[in-house]
Short mmCIF file of all heavy atoms in Angstrom, two decimals:
data_model
loop_
_atom_site.label_atom_id
_atom_site.label_comp_id
_atom_site.label_asym_id
_atom_site.label_seq_id
_atom_site.Cartn_x
_atom_site.Cartn_y
_atom_site.Cartn_z
N LYS A 3 4.02 1.34 -0.76
CA LYS A 3 4.80 1.38 -2.01
C LYS A 3 3.98 1.96 -3.13
O LYS A 3 4.45 2.75 -3.94
CB LYS A 3 5.25 -0.04 -2.38
CG LYS A 3 6.46 -0.48 -1.60
CD LYS A 3 6.90 -1.84 -2.07
CE LYS A 3 8.17 -2.27 -1.35
NZ LYS A 3 8.59 -3.60 -1.75
N PHE A 30 36.05 14.79 -22.91
CA PHE A 30 36.77 13.52 -22.95
C PHE A 30 38.21 13.73 -22.49
O PHE A 30 38.83 14.76 -22.77
CB PHE A 30 36.75 12.93 -24.36
CG PHE A 30 35.39 12.42 -24.73
CD1 PHE A 30 34.50 13.19 -25.46
CD2 PHE A 30 34.99 11.15 -24.34
CE1 PHE A 30 33.25 12.72 -25.78
CE2 PHE A 30 33.75 10.67 -24.67
CZ PHE A 30 32.87 11.44 -25.39
N SER A 33 44.73 10.52 -21.32
CA SER A 33 45.94 10.72 -20.55
C SER A 33 46.48 9.38 -20.10
O SER A 33 45.78 8.36 -20.19
CB SER A 33 45.66 11.63 -19.35
OG SER A 33 46.74 11.64 -18.48
N PRO A 39 37.53 8.68 -9.07
CA PRO A 39 36.42 9.61 -8.87
C PRO A 39 36.87 10.90 -8.20
O PRO A 39 36.41 11.99 -8.58
CB PRO A 39 35.47 8.83 -7.98
CG PRO A 39 35.72 7.42 -8.32
CD PRO A 39 37.19 7.33 -8.61
N PHE A 49 38.58 22.60 -14.14
CA PHE A 49 38.17 22.89 -15.52
C PHE A 49 37.09 23.97 -15.54
O PHE A 49 37.11 24.90 -16.35
CB PHE A 49 37.66 21.60 -16.15
CG PHE A 49 37.44 21.68 -17.61
CD1 PHE A 49 38.54 21.61 -18.49
CD2 PHE A 49 36.18 21.84 -18.16
CE1 PHE A 49 38.34 21.69 -19.85
CE2 PHE A 49 36.00 21.91 -19.52
CZ PHE A 49 37.08 21.84 -20.38
N ARG A 51 36.47 26.20 -13.26
CA ARG A 51 37.03 27.51 -12.88
C ARG A 51 37.80 28.13 -14.03
O ARG A 51 37.70 29.31 -14.31
CB ARG A 51 37.97 27.33 -11.68
CG ARG A 51 37.23 27.11 -10.35
CD ARG A 51 38.17 26.50 -9.34
NE ARG A 51 39.31 27.35 -9.11
CZ ARG A 51 39.39 28.30 -8.17
NH1 ARG A 51 38.36 28.49 -7.37
NH2 ARG A 51 40.49 29.05 -8.04
N GLN A 62 34.83 12.35 -19.05
CA GLN A 62 34.78 10.93 -19.41
C GLN A 62 36.13 10.49 -19.92
O GLN A 62 36.57 10.93 -21.00
CB GLN A 62 33.72 10.70 -20.48
CG GLN A 62 33.54 9.24 -20.83
CD GLN A 62 32.40 9.04 -21.81
OE1 GLN A 62 31.54 9.92 -21.97
NE2 GLN A 62 32.43 7.91 -22.48
N SER A 68 39.01 2.95 -28.32
CA SER A 68 37.55 2.92 -28.54
C SER A 68 37.17 3.90 -29.65
O SER A 68 37.80 4.93 -29.82
CB SER A 68 36.82 3.28 -27.25
OG SER A 68 37.12 4.62 -26.91
N THR A 87 47.51 13.08 -31.40
CA THR A 87 46.13 13.59 -31.50
C THR A 87 45.47 13.22 -32.83
O THR A 87 44.42 13.76 -33.18
CB THR A 87 46.13 15.12 -31.37
OG1 THR A 87 46.95 15.67 -32.42
CG2 THR A 87 46.67 15.55 -30.02
N TRP A 105 51.93 16.04 -9.43
CA TRP A 105 52.01 14.87 -8.53
C TRP A 105 52.65 15.33 -7.24
O TRP A 105 53.83 15.72 -7.20
CB TRP A 105 52.82 13.78 -9.21
CG TRP A 105 52.71 12.44 -8.56
CD1 TRP A 105 51.64 11.65 -8.48
CD2 TRP A 105 53.76 11.73 -7.90
NE1 TRP A 105 51.89 10.48 -7.84
CE2 TRP A 105 53.22 10.51 -7.47
CE3 TRP A 105 55.11 12.01 -7.65
CZ2 TRP A 105 53.99 9.54 -6.78
CZ3 TRP A 105 55.85 11.03 -6.97
CH2 TRP A 105 55.26 9.81 -6.53
N ALA A 106 51.85 15.30 -6.15
CA ALA A 106 52.34 15.85 -4.90
C ALA A 106 52.14 14.85 -3.78
O ALA A 106 51.32 13.93 -3.89
CB ALA A 106 51.59 17.14 -4.59
N GLN A 136 55.66 4.91 15.40
CA GLN A 136 55.87 4.64 16.82
C GLN A 136 54.57 4.91 17.61
O GLN A 136 54.24 4.19 18.54
CB GLN A 136 56.98 5.54 17.34
CG GLN A 136 57.51 5.09 18.69
CD GLN A 136 58.77 5.87 19.07
OE1 GLN A 136 59.21 6.79 18.36
NE2 GLN A 136 59.40 5.48 20.18
N PRO A 167 73.52 13.68 -7.78
CA PRO A 167 74.49 14.20 -6.81
C PRO A 167 74.75 15.68 -7.05
O PRO A 167 74.92 16.12 -8.17
CB PRO A 167 75.75 13.37 -7.07
CG PRO A 167 75.30 12.19 -7.85
CD PRO A 167 74.13 12.60 -8.61
N SER A 177 77.53 1.07 0.33
CA SER A 177 76.49 0.05 0.09
C SER A 177 75.11 0.64 0.36
O SER A 177 74.90 1.39 1.32
CB SER A 177 76.74 -1.16 1.00
OG SER A 177 75.63 -2.00 0.94
N ASN A 203 53.15 1.28 3.65
CA ASN A 203 52.27 0.11 3.76
C ASN A 203 52.60 -0.87 2.65
O ASN A 203 52.59 -0.50 1.46
CB ASN A 203 50.81 0.54 3.66
CG ASN A 203 49.83 -0.52 4.14
OD1 ASN A 203 50.01 -1.71 3.86
ND2 ASN A 203 48.82 -0.10 4.87
N SER A 206 50.72 -1.28 -0.53
CA SER A 206 50.86 -0.31 -1.62
C SER A 206 51.25 -1.01 -2.91
O SER A 206 50.92 -0.54 -4.01
CB SER A 206 51.94 0.72 -1.26
OG SER A 206 51.56 1.42 -0.10
N ASN A 216 41.55 6.08 -1.51
CA ASN A 216 40.57 5.62 -0.52
C ASN A 216 41.23 5.41 0.84
O ASN A 216 40.65 5.75 1.88
CB ASN A 216 39.92 4.33 -0.98
CG ASN A 216 38.93 4.57 -2.11
OD1 ASN A 216 38.44 5.70 -2.29
ND2 ASN A 216 38.65 3.54 -2.90
N ARG A 288 58.92 25.36 -10.43
CA ARG A 288 58.37 24.51 -9.38
C ARG A 288 58.02 23.13 -9.89
O ARG A 288 57.74 22.23 -9.13
CB ARG A 288 57.07 25.15 -8.86
CG ARG A 288 57.30 26.40 -8.00
CD ARG A 288 56.03 26.72 -7.24
NE ARG A 288 54.90 26.92 -8.13
CZ ARG A 288 53.65 26.91 -7.72
NH1 ARG A 288 53.38 26.68 -6.43
NH2 ARG A 288 52.67 27.14 -8.57
N GLU A 299 57.44 5.01 -22.96
CA GLU A 299 58.49 4.05 -23.37
C GLU A 299 59.06 3.33 -22.16
O GLU A 299 59.27 2.13 -22.16
CB GLU A 299 59.57 4.81 -24.14
CG GLU A 299 60.62 3.90 -24.73
CD GLU A 299 61.68 4.69 -25.50
OE1 GLU A 299 61.53 5.94 -25.62
OE2 GLU A 299 62.63 4.05 -25.97
#
Side-chain angles (χ1 to χ4, degrees):
Chain A
K3 280 184 177 178
F30 288 97
S33 170
F49 191 77
R51 284 161 60 91
Q62 184 175 342
S68 65
T87 60
W105 193 67
Q136 195 171 3
S177 169
N203 196 319
S206 298
N216 286 339
R288 287 195 303 164
E299 186 179 356

